[in-house]
Amino acid sequence: MNQDKGWKLWITFIAIFFVSLNLRPSVTSVGPLLDTIAADLGVSSTQMSLLTSIPVFCMGLFAPLAVPLQKKLGYRTAVNILMLLIGVATLIRIEFVSYAGLLLTSFLTGFAIAIISPMINAYIKERFGDKMAPVIGVYSFAIGGGATLSAAFTGVFYETFGKNWALALGIWGLLAIFALITWTMAVERTPASTEQTDKESARNPWKTTRAWIILLYFGLQTSLFFGLTTWLVSMALEQGMPLLTAGSVLTTMTIVQLVGNIVIPSMLSKYPNRITWLYGLIAFGMIGAIVLFIDAGWSIWVGAMMLGAALSGLFPIGLLLPLDEAKNNREANEWSSMVLSGGFMMSAIIPLVIGIVYDQLGSHFYTKVIFAVLFIFMALSIYWLQRNKRHV
């Protein structure tokens, strides 16, 4: 019996890992080839930034659908349908070699990711209860892993496949196969919301000040992540780096983030004070943003590593904050949906703003200013969170 339980636990970990691995490549694979695709299709930086902003906005707009869809279909069926959508929408980029095709597939993948993210968050709360921090670590690690893989290999695929950027983007859809297999094995085909769960009372997050503060924080740190994954390679190219070297800067940042996604959540059990962690990570990230202003060849490498280290903790703690507040599974689902919904809608703005500013001024100086300002507002949101409740 214990062996069966242990096997089930491991396959659940693996399933969460593979599902989460699919939640970024369709978005982050665009960044390494952003300038290349723009030149080939004859579109502006502002138009290219929409390929990040649209799916991220969708992640926010459609996140509230997670609750009714999970109740109707259950975790197993709902996630499988949405994962299939991510896989197909990403793969068809190989054939739809146009800006309109990229916009459509960005919308479809953003729609699916929007609903899966809060659903996985709620599933972790329901399945693992007070031992969820290490599982959130696996979840964050896998999301970072997907971003790292796409940052590291999209440019390599582009060079390997005869400079075919459509194939380099579309090949990431194959990852969905592993998610579909493992999720089907791990999760039983029963709706997770029983009659008793439906009767649980829950505070409305949209009417709770603390939920809005958490949403603000989550939106700011996610804005930083998508701003960096969209424009860091372009910033490196502006310094005169070749494409693969510039892509390596983004890869370096995501590798550092990947390591931290495992290390920091595992340390949260021993040092659980979220506020202390957040202030420390924000201060470290702010230094990294300032380093980017230094006019030297090493600065973008060091800045990228420091920003990756900061993001590695800011994101998983952002996922934990609404779960910490939740009194039951229903609240976990509704609070996560609200925070991810509003947060991702916020973060869709920054890549677009950077693209507009860059088109107007032709320099990434103000891109660096925007990154620094995001850290300042993050610190203010945490201060507000601390004032709203003296401990977390």
Side-chain angles (χ1 to χ4, degrees), residues 264 281-282 284-286 305-315 375:
I264 292 178
L281 290 164
I282 289 169
F284 191 75
M286 184 66 181
M305 286 188 283
M306 295 183 72
L307 289 165
L311 284 168
S312 71
L314 295 174
F315 178 69
F375 278 109

Side-chain angles (χ1 to χ4, degrees), residues 101-152:
L102 288 174
L103 284 178
L104 174 62
T105 55
S106 294
F107 173 83
L108 292 174
T109 55
F111 172 82
I113 294 167
I115 304 172
I116 288 179
S117 295
M119 204 175 285
I120 294 295
N121 225 27
Y123 179 75
I124 291 171
K125 171 74 172 178
E126 181 176 313
R127 180 73 173 77
F128 297 96
D130 58 355
K131 297 179 180 177
M132 61 189 174
V135 191
I136 287 290
V138 172
Y139 176 41
S140 302
F141 176 80
I143 289 177
T148 300
L149 287 171
S150 60

